[in-house]
Amino acid sequence: MKFTKVLPLAALTTLSLALTGCGESTPASSSASSGIQVPDLPAATEVGEGEGQVNIVAWAGFVEDGSTNPDADWVSAFEKETGCQVNRKVGATSDEMVQLMRTGEYDLVSASGDASLRLIAGGDVAPINTELVPNFGNVVEGLKGQVYDTLNGKSYGVPIGRGANVLMYNTEEVAEAPDSWAPTWEEDSAYKGAVMAYDSPIYIADAALYLMATQPELGITNPYALDQEQLAAAVELLKQQNGIVGEYWNDALKAVSSISSGTAQMGTGWQVIVNLAQADGGKVESVLPKEGATGWSDTWMISAKSKNPNCAYQWMDWASSPEVNAKIAQNFGMAPANSLACEGSTKNEEHCESFHATDEEYYKNVWMWTTPVEQCIDGRTDVTCTNYQEWTKAWTEVKG
């Protein structure tokens, strides 16, 4: 079955910006100790009477009241049931969300992985008492206890959803379905000049991922933990790829057009782009290559200075319910976190099938985006890893 939902333009446009800094975990469902020192903050012990409002920083498409799209409204029923008025601020980037949360004016944030670690380490968000979020129990196992929202045995986030950065291809231009990223990296690729690559420093991780499989002697075990030598190897590969890339993209709508028309014959993309291309009649398919892929995820996090913690907890549970989580995931274009969001209707089932929502074997091969830091998150202590600033400089070098 092909998923044919049309994602709202506003959500898709914001998705292009939002995903420049999403997610971070190892492919396996694990809560490996990061060694990051974090403030010892208490979690709530109970949910009392609502304060009358809740202030949320979120990506477009996550907190909808029908004003953007009359068919997307899960805020009105929440306000009626709880008496908590929802005040939403749409965040454009993870950096902006961190800044907004540090003002102390917001109770909740839909944090991407790079933002979440900064917020945890900075003492800006408090641990979550998951017992006060009944719907947390139905969250898929692959999103529980991940390094980007779980530190020192404490959970700091309620998962919202996830997605993989797939290899998409135009079936009219690519005769045989690929099973590897190789045609997007090899200098003598048959698709030279028609390869599409993601335009962001975080894309360096995609090169590192391919090197993990093809040059094991480099010792890369986590694509977000690169020492200077490993980063140099990734940059060299990216420069080689630059010779076959016809288009670097960060505009999802443009990516839909390029892959549908065949201007781009194959390259890195998101499942929602593939779905939209198919809905428009494009001959486009996608695959998770044998080397694995990068990906992204988001979580609800509560401010350590929340003035409305009761309403905040009520929102986290409401938004994590099967019905609402399904709506958020379908509106935004991602796999829902609640496994029950895949039941109840053909629409839910088709959406979850398209995004591999409950397929943990699929996501075990996906390395969720993370901002690289000097402390090697692969466990090495004898070297210093490169940070995002160095990746940004390297990406400028790659693009020329």
Side-chain angles (χ1 to χ4, degrees):
M1 273 180 271
K2 292 183 179 178
F3 173 59
T4 58
K5 177 188 72 64
V6 176
L7 191 70
L9 176 61
L12 184 57
T13 302
T14 300
L15 186 63
S16 300
L17 298 173
L19 295 184
T20 59
C22 279
E24 56 161 297
S25 70
T26 60
S29 176
S30 65
S31 55
S33 175
S34 66
I36 297 175
Q37 298 297 314
V38 300
D40 186 15
L41 299 173
T45 57
E46 63 179 359
V47 177
E49 183 177 352
E51 299 85 359
Q53 67 174 348
V54 60
N55 302 305
I56 307 175
V57 180
W59 302 122
F62 277 31
V63 182
E64 295 297 318
D65 61 4
S67 58
T68 302
N69 176 0
D71 294 327
D73 182 2
W74 44 92
V75 167
S76 297
F78 171 78
E79 292 178 331
K80 182 177 180 180
E81 182 171 316
T82 66
C84 300
Q85 178 181 332
V86 175
N87 304 310
R88 181 196 66 168
K89 167 70 174 179
V90 173
T93 66
S94 287
D95 286 346
E96 181 188 15
M97 287 183 165
V98 170
Q99 295 292 333
L100 290 170
M101 287 299 288
R102 286 178 174 168
T103 67
E105 297 177 6
Y106 296 91
D107 303 294
L108 287 173
V109 61
S110 62
S112 297
D114 61 328
S116 61
L117 276 185
R118 283 183 280 170
L119 291 167
I120 295 170
D124 302 299
V125 294
I128 299 289
N129 184 342
T130 58
E131 293 183 0
L132 301 181
V133 186
N135 282 302
F136 186 89
N138 293 321
V139 170
V140 294
E141 290 303 315
L143 283 176
K144 289 181 179 178
Q146 293 294 334
V147 66
Y148 54 82
D149 64 10
T150 306
L151 292 174
N152 304 324
K154 295 181 179 181
S155 175
Y156 287 82
V158 178
I160 305 169
R162 58 183 170 177
N165 297 319
V166 296
L167 173 58
M168 56 186 185
Y169 59 99
N170 185 298
T171 60
E172 293 183 323
E173 303 293 340
V174 182
E176 186 176 346
D179 66 353
S180 169
W181 289 106
T184 68
W185 292 108
E186 294 176 345
E187 194 171 11
D188 59 352
S189 173
Y191 307 102
K192 183 175 182 178
V195 171
M196 186 186 309
Y198 190 61
D199 191 0
S200 169
I202 204 68
Y203 184 65
I204 291 173
D206 291 65
L209 183 71
Y210 186 67
L211 291 173
M212 283 173 59
T214 58
Q215 296 186 35
E217 66 274 12
L218 287 170
I220 300 173
T221 59
N222 184 310
Y224 305 102
L226 306 181
D227 59 33
Q228 290 291 346
E229 180 181 350
Q230 293 165 340
L231 176 61
V235 169
E236 182 179 353
L237 178 61
L238 286 158
K239 287 181 176 179
Q240 175 177 295
Q241 186 194 46
N242 183 261
I244 66 171
V245 167
E247 176 183 346
Y248 289 98
W249 69 275
N250 56 22
D251 181 333
L253 291 174
K254 191 173 187 300
V256 170
S257 175
S258 295
I259 196 67
S260 294
S261 66
T263 301
Q265 297 173 4
M266 68 162 52
T268 304
W270 304 324
Q271 189 60 47
V272 66
I273 293 174
V274 175
N275 294 345
L276 287 167
Q278 291 174 346
D280 289 339
K283 305 300 182 182
V284 180
E285 296 290 345
S286 66
V287 64
L288 185 72
K290 60 186 179 183
E291 298 90 358
T294 58
W296 49 274
S297 62
D298 295 278
T299 57
W300 297 114
M301 308 187 88
I302 186 169
S303 171
K305 302 175 182 178
S306 174
K307 300 179 179 65
N308 307 292
N310 296 321
C311 282
Y313 264 87
Q314 289 181 68
W315 172 264
M316 285 191 290
D317 192 50
W318 174 271
S320 301
S321 67
E323 299 79 11
V324 177
N325 190 223
K327 292 177 181 178
I328 294 173
Q330 291 170 26
N331 191 58
F332 191 70
M334 62 182 173
N338 190 320
S339 61
L340 300 182
C342 296
E343 303 174 3
S345 72
T346 300
K347 181 179 181 181
N348 290 352
E349 292 172 0
E350 289 182 356
H351 180 84
C352 286
E353 180 184 356
S354 176
F355 286 87
H356 304 272
T358 59
D359 186 350
E360 295 308 330
E361 288 301 312
Y362 180 89
Y363 279 104
K364 280 181 180 179
N365 296 312
V366 178
W367 295 78
M368 298 299 179
W369 281 348
T370 183
T371 299
V373 293
E374 287 88 351
Q375 180 179 332
C376 299
I377 61 173
D378 59 3
R380 288 181 292 170
T381 57
D382 59 335
V383 296
T384 298
C385 278
T386 51
N387 60 31
Y388 195 71
Q389 184 177 4
E390 292 172 281
W391 282 36
T392 300
K393 181 179 178 181
W395 185 245
T396 300
E397 182 183 341
V398 168
K399 294 288 294 296

